[in-house]
Amino acid sequence: MSAGWALRDCSFRLPAGRICGLVGPNGAGKTTLMGIAANLLEPTAGSLRVFGAAPESAEANRRTAFLAQKKPLFRLFTVAETLRLGRELNPGWDQRAAEEIVRCGDVPLHAKVGTLSGGQRTRVAFALAFGKRPDLLILDEPMSDLDPLVRHELMNTLFAGAVEHGTTVLLSSHLLDELAGVCDYLLVVASGGLRLAGEVDALLGAHTWVTGVRTGEGTPEDLAPHGVVESRTSGQQISALVRPYGAITGSWQFGAPNLEDLPLAYLRSPDAPPLITPSAQVAGHTGPKETAA
Amino acid sequence: MTTLTGIPAPAAASRSARGPRLRGLTWLVRRQHWAAFWTVLAATVACVALIAFLRAGMMDHLHTIGWPHPTGENWERDVRPDADRLSSAGSALGFVPVLLGVFLGAPLLAGDLEHGTAKPITSQSVTRVRRLAMKPGMTALVVTVCAVAASAAFSWWYEPLKAIDMPPQGWISGVFFDNTGPVPVALTLFTILGGVAIGMLLRRVLAAMAVTFGFAVAVPLVGSYLRMDLGSVVTMTTHQGVGEAASPELPGRSLPVGPVLPHQRRQTHRLGHLQQRNDRAGPSRLPGQGTRRRLVGGLPSRLADERHAVARRRNPVCPHPRPRGVRPPPGTQTTGLTFVSNRETDDMSRATSIEVRAPQSGA
């Protein structure tokens, strides 16, 4: 493949009913992965299953909704017509939910989509995806052009809907703090490969910040038997993000990493071994890429 | 802050309230392209109305000259403006498939692909096949209806003139061949669906429109080359002395393609006039010589005159059969007479590929 791999060595499963954040640097393959799940792209190699079905199957198509990064909508349609589009093309359409999302932003129903602001258009696109009442909702950079207030409101809508209907949500974002309050599952992809996958609590619990006095060059002896993801020195102080494989000996101070530190540390250290929790591991590990939502 | 606890509205109730309007993808395609569809339909209605108006005027005129059995010395000259009007209308209609291919076919799917609006549709609960078939399908339906109407109207307009063998070239001419019967429908559908396919491949509206323009112009051009193969083309070549007496008899039910001689009644053709002038002026000053040399293919330029004729049995355009067979007119110096005829025509098959050589005293 001349353009290089967008995504490779990436096998995981996403359990149903989770709100999963997909994190990675630009060009890591987030959009590619989402496009494959939404049946916009076909993988060069490997396979992806949505609820056990191929993404191109009618079953998967009916149960999946996708909100693309650029939120493309028909510019000449009015907001009401855009919602009618969803109603006409989806058997399980939830008009009330879609209209409520639009109304909360004071978006006039009879305005042409082309005349709306970026944030309002995002809201309409969001309503179109949400009104489908999907079992898997894929959101590619959904919040990038929303102000914090609206972002918070839509996230709450998403969260409430997901909890109520058991919707699985896969959303990609650059804004790690935004994911922190919402996601209970995390996927980190970098340079085409999977770096972290699993429940947020399990991932955070498996790591610890270690701070202490630097005694020599390189990795301190006390930390050597453990997995050091990243270490930083400033003066005589060394602080490291460690995946402990047992009790850490020595005089160290411990701290809990947050959801912002962890992906960044893994993205900065391409040599650190990936961590994939048991719930995210694919049984048998057959294909190079696999999802079971 | 919002929590969505709404129950999905009962689908059946909301459907019945909407009544028998278009649903699903049909609604979407109509909503997205209604302007284009209505333009095409309105233009067709206007075109048919105009044809009806022009035909009424033509019929009034034709009845004054005794149609369908015209009498009088110069009735052909009287009919000529009517025939010319028909021809120019036919030429104008020839651009319609190009217009529709470029402005309706090419952007149909390329627009969605370029602006990303194919993505929200892909995300809805409709299958890929239906999604891809519905747009070109509905467009093809609208265009077929319009093309059938336009073709029928034009044929209806042409019918009275065809009955009196005007204009003389009849169906050989692209103007009539491409605008009557099933040909315009097929041509329009082909350019539109070609444009759709080009748009799908290029995924850019402007590029697709440009390529479709070339495609739509090329299709009838290629067709015009193949059109003559529907009959059998007979080329007659005589050398010098092309006067009234030198004109060979044309095979029965044949239509002249090239120069027409005065006594054959059809002196109206432009090439015919040119030919007569050139005959008087001599072969070396023939303006159309280059073309004509190419037409005969390999025959030397000293050949001063060619006649091309299409011979075809049961030709509806020329219902009055003339005496069959081709014979060189007496008293002319004939170097070559090539003649290719339809092999299925029994009495003409014997004459297939005849070459007659007379003494080359005059050359």
Side-chain angles (χ1 to χ4, degrees):
Chain A
M1 197 172 162
S2 58
W5 289 95
L7 199 65
R8 67 189 306 180
D9 299 332
C10 176
S11 296
F12 65 91
R13 64 181 282 275
L14 171 60
R18 299 297 190 138
I19 298 184
C20 176
L22 179 60
V23 181
N26 292 327
K30 298 190 297 288
T31 302
T32 307
L33 176 66
M34 292 184 151
I36 293 169
N39 190 25
L40 294 174
L41 299 168
E42 281 184 26
T44 319
S47 67
L48 186 145
R49 318 284 289 172
V50 180
F51 303 110
E56 62 267 23
S57 67
E59 162 84 2
N61 193 20
R62 189 178 55 76
R63 296 177 70 175
T64 310
F66 176 60
L67 177 58
Q69 196 166 1
K70 289 177 184 166
K71 285 95 187 171
L73 291 170
F74 295 108
R75 298 179 65 85
L76 294 178
F77 280 35
T78 64
V79 175
E81 280 169 335
T82 305
L83 295 187
R84 181 167 175 197
L85 185 157
R87 192 172 68 208
E88 296 286 351
L89 300 185
N90 296 292
W93 179 255
D94 188 342
Q95 178 78 9
R96 207 179 299 173
E99 274 184 17
E100 206 167 330
I101 291 175
V102 171
R103 286 227 179 84
C104 281
D106 289 329
V107 182
L109 278 175
H110 295 286
K112 288 240 161 54
V113 168
T115 64
L116 300 178
S117 73
Q120 285 175 318
R121 206 174 309 153
T122 300
R123 195 179 268 279
V124 175
F126 196 85
L128 185 62
F130 205 84
K132 193 182 174 183
R133 278 267 169 262
D135 293 325
L136 172 63
L137 183 56
I138 303 170
L139 309 167
D140 194 358
E141 302 278 349
M143 309 297 173
S144 51
D145 49 4
L146 295 178
D147 63 69
L149 205 66
V150 176
R151 198 181 295 167
H152 193 70
E153 178 221 316
L154 284 183
M155 275 297 180
N156 275 316
T157 306
L158 188 71
F159 191 69
V163 167
E164 189 185 341
H165 298 276
T167 312
T168 312
V169 182
L170 177 65
L171 73 151
S172 72
S173 183
H174 291 302
L175 306 164
L176 294 166
D177 57 330
E178 168 194 290
L179 295 176
V182 187
C183 296
D184 57 0
Y185 217 79
L186 188 68
L187 287 170
V188 178
V189 289
S191 50
L194 191 63
R195 310 290 294 126
L196 284 173
E199 299 90 340
V200 169
D201 293 344
L203 290 176
L204 291 178
H207 295 85
T208 182
W209 272 115
V210 176
T211 314
V213 180
R214 192 163 69 125
T215 50
E217 289 299 314
T219 312
E221 272 178 34
D222 293 341
L223 300 180
H226 309 284
V228 178
V229 178
E230 188 195 29
S231 65
R232 259 181 265 163
T233 52
S234 56
Q236 285 301 303
Q237 197 188 7
I238 182 165
S239 64
L241 184 74
V242 179
R243 198 194 298 174
Y245 298 138
I248 298 174
T249 53
S251 54
W252 300 93
Q253 284 184 320
F254 300 101
N258 60 27
L259 198 52
E260 217 164 324
D261 303 332
L262 192 66
L264 284 178
Y266 270 87
L267 294 179
R268 276 194 293 258
S269 318
D271 297 331
L275 175 61
I276 295 158
T277 66
S279 71
Q281 278 167 13
V282 180
H285 194 81
T286 47
K289 188 186 332 167
E290 198 162 319
T291 319
Chain B
M1 193 180 301
T2 320
T3 43
L4 292 167
T5 50
I7 312 146
S14 63
R15 290 258 161 88
S16 63
R18 288 207 300 280
R21 282 188 289 168
L22 294 174
R23 295 211 189 110
L25 273 178
T26 329
W27 171 82
L28 176 66
V29 176
R30 198 211 56 175
R31 171 61 190 86
Q32 219 188 333
H33 298 286
W34 66 269
F37 290 170
W38 280 114
T39 307
V40 172
L41 288 167
T44 308
V45 170
C47 170
V48 170
L50 183 67
I51 285 177
F53 173 75
L54 290 173
R55 186 184 186 273
M58 184 187 80
M59 288 314 290
D60 285 347
H61 183 225
L62 285 182
H63 283 304
T64 62
I65 59 160
W67 186 86
H69 303 290
T71 49
E73 279 290 300
N74 294 320
W75 67 266
E76 287 173 3
R77 205 185 54 204
D78 291 342
V79 171
R80 229 174 95 192
D82 291 317
D84 285 349
R85 199 173 294 133
L86 185 69
S87 297
S88 35
S91 308
L93 282 175
F95 291 106
V96 172
V98 180
L99 278 178
L100 288 176
V102 169
F103 289 102
L104 191 60
L108 200 67
L109 294 179
D112 279 352
L113 291 170
E114 182 174 356
H115 302 123
T117 40
K119 282 182 189 172
I121 303 305
T122 311
S123 188
Q124 309 305 316
S125 312
V126 282
T127 61
R128 185 200 296 248
V129 174
R130 283 198 59 216
R131 199 173 64 230
L132 286 180
M134 190 55 87
K135 260 195 191 198
M138 276 180 72
T139 310
L141 185 73
V142 170
V143 164
T144 306
V145 167
C146 294
V148 166
S151 166
F154 191 82
S155 308
W156 177 59
W157 188 11
Y158 175 39
E159 208 63 41
L161 287 178
K162 193 170 151 186
I164 54 170
D165 225 4
M166 282 294 288
Q169 290 205 352
W171 66 273
I172 302 168
S173 151
V175 169
F176 298 101
F177 188 81
D178 288 350
N179 282 311
T180 55
V183 179
V185 185
L187 200 61
T188 314
L189 283 179
F190 192 57
T191 50
I192 285 196
L193 296 181
V196 171
I198 289 168
M200 263 181 98
L201 286 176
L202 296 181
R203 305 169 80 96
R204 292 283 176 277
V205 173
L206 203 61
M209 285 170 84
V211 175
T212 304
F213 178 78
F215 169 76
V217 168
V219 166
L221 277 183
V222 171
S224 71
Y225 276 104
L226 300 176
R227 194 168 58 236
M228 286 305 185
D229 293 342
L230 296 172
S232 22
V233 178
V234 178
T235 306
M236 280 173 277
T237 311
T238 57
H239 175 53
Q240 292 182 351
V242 184
E244 210 158 303
S247 164
E249 293 284 343
L250 290 176
R253 300 185 179 187
S254 67
L255 286 168
V257 183
V260 180
L261 290 182
H263 85 281
Q264 282 179 293
R265 179 167 78 84
R266 294 173 181 140
Q267 50 189 325
T268 54
H269 197 265
R270 193 165 46 85
L271 275 179
H273 288 302
L274 183 71
Q275 188 56 56
Q276 287 163 43
R277 205 153 33 81
N278 291 334
D279 288 343
R280 283 195 295 276
S284 59
R285 289 162 59 191
L286 203 62
Q289 204 173 25
T291 315
R292 300 187 311 110
R293 210 182 298 151
R294 189 161 51 79
L295 278 172
V296 228
L299 284 173
S301 61
R302 60 189 154 84
L303 298 177
D305 182 32
E306 308 94 36
R307 279 167 197 75
H308 305 270
V310 170
R312 192 196 193 197
R313 274 196 142 184
R314 292 185 301 278
N315 189 340
V317 184
C318 186
H320 313 295
R322 294 189 182 80
R324 294 185 176 212
V326 177
R327 51 191 155 77
T332 45
Q333 293 169 316
T334 307
T335 36
L337 179 111
T338 55
F339 172 30
V340 183
S341 83
N342 188 351
R343 284 166 193 276
E344 289 158 14
T345 317
D346 46 4
D347 58 336
M348 284 163 74
S349 64
R350 269 176 267 125
T352 301
S353 295
I354 297 174
E355 194 174 42
V356 183
R357 289 196 178 275
Q360 300 197 353
S361 53

